[in-house]
């Protein structure tokens, strides 16, 4: 069994099987723009969801000044609130990064 979610407010945890950890979408906040001033909805990006992550192809599905949402082409395991989500362009330049606040 794996911990899927921790609900601090209600002092509860949600558990599941390994395949229950797979998600396609994430939401991030506290966005820092590096080589881009904005993220264009529908744009393809390469995203990493933690320091040692290999990264994966995704697209921008929502973008505001301080938040963004992406959807991965293939499900990712353990998209974890509190971890960083860093977005790269085709050339490997960092576009922006934010803190994952929820997975779906």
């Amino acid at each position: 069994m794996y911990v899927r979610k921790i609900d601090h407010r209600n002092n509860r945890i949600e558990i599941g099987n390994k395949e229950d950890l797979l998600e396609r979408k994430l939401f991030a906040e506290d966005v820092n723009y590096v080589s881009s001033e904005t993220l264009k909805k529908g744009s393809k990006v390469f995203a990493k969801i933690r320091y040692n992550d290999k990264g994966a192809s995704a697209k921008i599905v929502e973008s505001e000044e301080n938040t963004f949402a992406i959807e991965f082409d293939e499900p990712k395991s353990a998209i974890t609130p509190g971890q960083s989500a860093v977005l790269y362009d085709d050339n490997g330049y960092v576009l922006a990064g934010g803190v994952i606040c929820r997975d779906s």
Side-chain angles (χ1 to χ4, degrees):
M1 299 306 287
Y2 294 85
V3 175
R4 280 192 28 80
K5 295 185 182 186
I6 299 173
D7 180 354
H8 297 284
R9 292 184 187 140
N10 297 309
N11 198 29
R12 296 172 57 179
I13 62 170
E14 180 181 318
I15 60 172
N17 296 316
K18 188 170 185 172
E19 51 275 353
D20 294 330
L21 299 178
L22 296 173
E23 299 284 345
R24 289 185 64 132
K25 194 171 181 181
L26 73 75
F27 295 84
E29 60 189 1
D30 298 328
V31 176
N32 290 308
Y33 294 94
V34 179
S35 62
S36 175
E37 293 181 19
T38 61
L39 298 170
K40 186 177 175 185
K41 186 176 176 179
S43 296
K44 292 297 245 173
V45 295
F46 187 76
K48 292 186 176 186
I49 60 170
R50 61 179 53 82
Y51 175 73
N52 286 331
D53 185 28
K54 291 181 184 179
S57 295
K59 70 177 176 181
I60 307 292
V61 292
E62 294 178 31
S63 178
E64 307 233 351
E65 183 177 331
N66 200 34
T67 63
F68 65 78
I70 61 172
E71 187 173 295
F72 289 98
D73 294 348
E74 300 290 328
K76 292 285 284 180
S77 182
I79 297 174
T80 308
Q83 293 283 349
S84 293
V86 181
L87 308 180
Y88 300 83
D89 68 10
D90 290 339
N91 297 315
Y93 292 106
V94 176
L95 297 171
V99 178
I100 299 170
C101 56
R102 61 190 169 101
D103 54 6
S104 57

